[in-house]
Amino acid sequence: MAARTDQTTDPRLQEDLLQARRGTAFFARKLNELTDADLDGPSLLPGWTRRHITAHIGYNARAIARLVEWAATGIETPMYSSPEARNQEINFGATLSPIALRNLFDHSAVHLSVEWRDLPEEAWHHEVRTAQGRTVPASETVWMRTREVWIHAIDLNNGATFTDIPTPVLERLLADITGTWHTRGTDTGLRINATGTDLTFGDTNTADPTTITGPLPAVVQWATGRGTTGVTATGPGAAPNRIVPAAPKWI
Ligand code: ZN
């Protein structure tokens, strides 16, 4: 008989799985608030309707489930066969009927949750490769999904904001994004200060940095390239009118 609870007993992983499933439930709630006609409306992402967002989230669950299956079986199954195939799939998915789109989201989310639930304790350490070519343990798939469902729920453009995202997820997002900048060397001279936290992000070596300051949700919104509401900039990059510079590219 199949287990009804997660195989893993790692408390950290169980907490991460909870955040992923909460994020999925949040996305589902925002999607369910939209009428079928609303799906044709614009998302917050340039060129994408809400249909594209929904299709992407559905196919993303399938792609991540392939990584979990890879970890379970040892048989290499990449997320997508190519970046072009990924984009074609999204464009195709966006043409589905509303009921088919909603089913795609629902079924793929349940399937991924079951793959996670049934992954044996030791297989969570098995290495898989992401669409960006990073080699990661299977446990990383939980975070990969978490950031997608929370951020794209906002991109559905029907009322969700970064203040809806739980603080631990926001903190991890900011660490993740600024870590990516650091790896690429695109954070030179840029410091990020989330008020109310004791966390420092960005370039800590520069004496006179451009500093982006704001509450954690606003700073993360800026860092993901989704606007400058609620953040201020000081330092050389902000002159002369305290204009907030665009964040470096993340994805
Ligand atoms: Zn995405």
Side-chain angles (χ1 to χ4, degrees), residues 132 179-187 248-251:
Q132 287 82 31
T180 301
W181 294 342
H182 188 70
T183 303
R184 293 179 183 163
T186 54
D187 68 342
K249 213 169 157 306
W250 169 40
I251 296 282

Side-chain angles (χ1 to χ4, degrees), residues 20 38 68 76 83 98 106 121 134-136 178 190 203 214 219-220 238:
D38 289 339
V68 182
E76 184 171 333
D106 289 338
E121 185 92 68
R134 283 189 311 137
T135 299
V136 297
T178 54
L190 191 59
D203 182 357
V219 166
V220 175

Side-chain angles (χ1 to χ4, degrees), residues 45 48 53 56-57 60 80 86 90 144 147-149 151-152 155 226 251:
L45 294 185
W48 272 19
I53 300 284
H56 166 48
I57 282 294
N60 170 264
Y80 306 102
R86 170 188 176 276
I90 293 167
M144 288 163 61
R147 63 188 195 190
E148 287 293 306
V149 285
I151 293 177
H152 289 316
D155 291 334
R226 285 164 174 79
I251 296 282

Side-chain angles (χ1 to χ4, degrees), residues 202-227:
D203 182 357
T204 50
N205 298 316
T206 309
D208 184 24
T210 298
T211 303
I212 307 296
T213 304
L216 183 63
V219 166
V220 175
Q221 178 174 27
W222 168 82
T224 63
R226 285 164 174 79

Side-chain angles (χ1 to χ4, degrees), residues 7-19:
Q7 294 281 300
T8 180
T9 56
D10 177 346
R12 167 77 202 268
L13 197 47
Q14 288 175 336
E15 180 65 27
D16 289 349
L17 284 163
L18 187 63
Q19 295 291 18

Side-chain angles (χ1 to χ4, degrees), residues 146-201:
T146 299
R147 63 188 195 190
E148 287 293 306
V149 285
W150 283 109
I151 293 177
H152 289 316
I154 295 164
D155 291 334
L156 281 174
N157 192 19
N158 63 324
T161 69
F162 279 80
T163 58
D164 290 312
I165 302 181
T167 299
V169 175
L170 287 172
E171 287 175 348
R172 194 164 171 189
L173 265 172
L174 197 52
D176 192 357
I177 294 167
T178 54
T180 301
W181 294 342
H182 188 70
T183 303
R184 293 179 183 163
T186 54
D187 68 342
T188 306
L190 191 59
R191 203 168 299 168
I192 294 91
N193 176 20
T195 51
T197 75
D198 49 8
L199 305 165
T200 307
F201 299 95

